[in-house]
Amino acid sequence: MAASRKKAKQAAADAVVHMVEDGMTVGLGTGSTASLAIEALGRRISRENLRVTGVPTSFASERLAREYGIRLGTLDTHGRIDLAFDGADECDPGLNLIKGRGAAHTREKIVAFSAARFIVLIDASKRVDLLGMHMPLPIEVVPMAVAPVMGCLRSLGARPELRMGMKKDGPVVTDQGLWVIDAQFDEGIPDPAVVDRTLLDTPGVLDHGLFLEMATDVLVGLESGDIEHLRRDAAVIRRAD
Ligand code: 5RP
């Protein structure tokens, strides 16, 4: 990763760690930016002897949190998350997101939905006018449903492709043991709410990477090391309660 980009991600990561308070339950996202925040949180917990419990969104974030000495819980033991942080692949002007480059979007969405505040950490390159302009939309599917889900995606105007492993033959297998289809929308996604509903209504789809009206805050790390803090109007946030 370029040093300037890492500096921007680190700025966002450090900013969210300063928002954590003693006694909080914190959702731990997945990806390079969330990893920087997990590491900084672990360092702060041990420096200040904080009582913080982390709820991880993937095997990757669970392993990293253990390495940094963060006490872990689950949604069974800690059903109410005070603050969840995570990265994103794209963020539109309404703070709607595409996530899932790391194939962790299903658990990430569950944790975000259970959090009072869902704080997204990005660098400025992730801001787009229209979701889907640069990144494909990931969809987690039951393997036997790949063909019908791809047909559904084509009818929505996308070019679907099964995500293949890098250091593994065959498809990427998620933490749930399922597969991922990446759907490229060449002109972007004109109506994300329609794509959201259509996919969730399609048998065999577990979940997809559109996070609509979920982020309460977006911290945009800048290459100067500063951050820009974007907030959503509380009235339009989708939450578990
Ligand atoms: C993983 C994700 C990541 O949060 C997203 O891909 C951003 O990653 P990074 O911070 O490495 O750019 O959704 O499923």
Side-chain angles (χ1 to χ4, degrees), residues 96-181:
N96 300 305
L97 315 170
I98 285 185
K99 289 184 47 53
R101 180 205 45 78
H105 51 281
T106 298
R107 291 190 193 200
E108 291 172 334
K109 199 181 282 186
I110 295 167
V111 170
F113 193 65
S114 303
R117 282 178 88 178
F118 176 41
I119 303 181
V120 178
L121 314 173
I122 57 171
D123 63 82
S125 71
K126 308 284 185 71
R127 296 178 80 170
V128 294
D129 291 332
L130 194 62
L131 292 177
M133 284 179 73
H134 303 310
M135 295 296 291
L137 175 66
I139 300 109
E140 185 169 2
V141 292
V142 174
M144 73 170 287
V146 164
V149 173
M150 281 191 172
C152 167
L153 285 162
R154 286 189 193 96
S155 74
L156 288 167
R159 287 185 294 112
E161 203 175 291
L162 188 61
R163 192 182 296 185
M164 304 306 280
M166 294 287 280
K167 290 188 176 176
K168 167 194 177 294
D169 291 342
V172 164
V173 179
T174 68
D175 289 4
Q176 286 67 245
L178 303 184
W179 292 358
V180 176
I181 296 171

Side-chain angles (χ1 to χ4, degrees), residues 3-202:
S4 55
R5 190 138 186 234
K6 175 144 189 227
K7 189 173 174 190
K9 291 183 175 198
Q10 188 73 59
D14 290 343
V16 81
V17 168
H18 278 112
M19 295 161 88
V20 174
E21 295 170 15
D22 194 23
M24 275 189 168
T25 300
V26 177
L28 308 174
T30 300
S32 60
T33 320
S35 293
L36 292 172
I38 292 171
E39 293 169 14
L41 179 61
R43 287 192 291 267
R44 189 174 160 217
I45 288 171
S46 77
R47 200 171 51 241
E48 300 180 26
N49 200 19
L50 299 179
R51 291 168 302 113
V52 168
T53 304
V55 177
T57 53
S58 61
F59 294 144
S61 62
E62 180 179 336
R63 283 168 59 83
L64 186 63
R66 280 193 203 290
E67 188 185 326
Y68 277 78
I70 300 175
R71 180 202 337 238
L72 294 177
T74 66
L75 291 179
D76 293 323
T77 60
H78 294 75
R80 177 70 178 166
I81 294 174
D82 298 295
L83 174 165
F85 62 73
D86 210 337
D89 302 308
E90 288 186 347
C91 176
D92 78 5
L95 310 191
N96 300 305
L97 315 170
I98 285 185
K99 289 184 47 53
R101 180 205 45 78
H105 51 281
T106 298
R107 291 190 193 200
E108 291 172 334
K109 199 181 282 186
I110 295 167
V111 170
F113 193 65
S114 303
R117 282 178 88 178
F118 176 41
I119 303 181
V120 178
L121 314 173
I122 57 171
D123 63 82
S125 71
K126 308 284 185 71
R127 296 178 80 170
V128 294
D129 291 332
L130 194 62
L131 292 177
M133 284 179 73
H134 303 310
M135 295 296 291
L137 175 66
I139 300 109
E140 185 169 2
V141 292
V142 174
M144 73 170 287
V146 164
V149 173
M150 281 191 172
C152 167
L153 285 162
R154 286 189 193 96
S155 74
L156 288 167
R159 287 185 294 112
E161 203 175 291
L162 188 61
R163 192 182 296 185
M164 304 306 280
M166 294 287 280
K167 290 188 176 176
K168 167 194 177 294
D169 291 342
V172 164
V173 179
T174 68
D175 289 4
Q176 286 67 245
L178 303 184
W179 292 358
V180 176
I181 296 171
D182 287 313
Q184 185 66 53
F185 289 80
D186 289 333
E187 310 294 325
I189 304 175
D191 194 341
V194 169
V195 173
D196 172 42
R197 268 280 42 100
T198 306
L199 286 173
L200 292 179
D201 285 347
T202 303

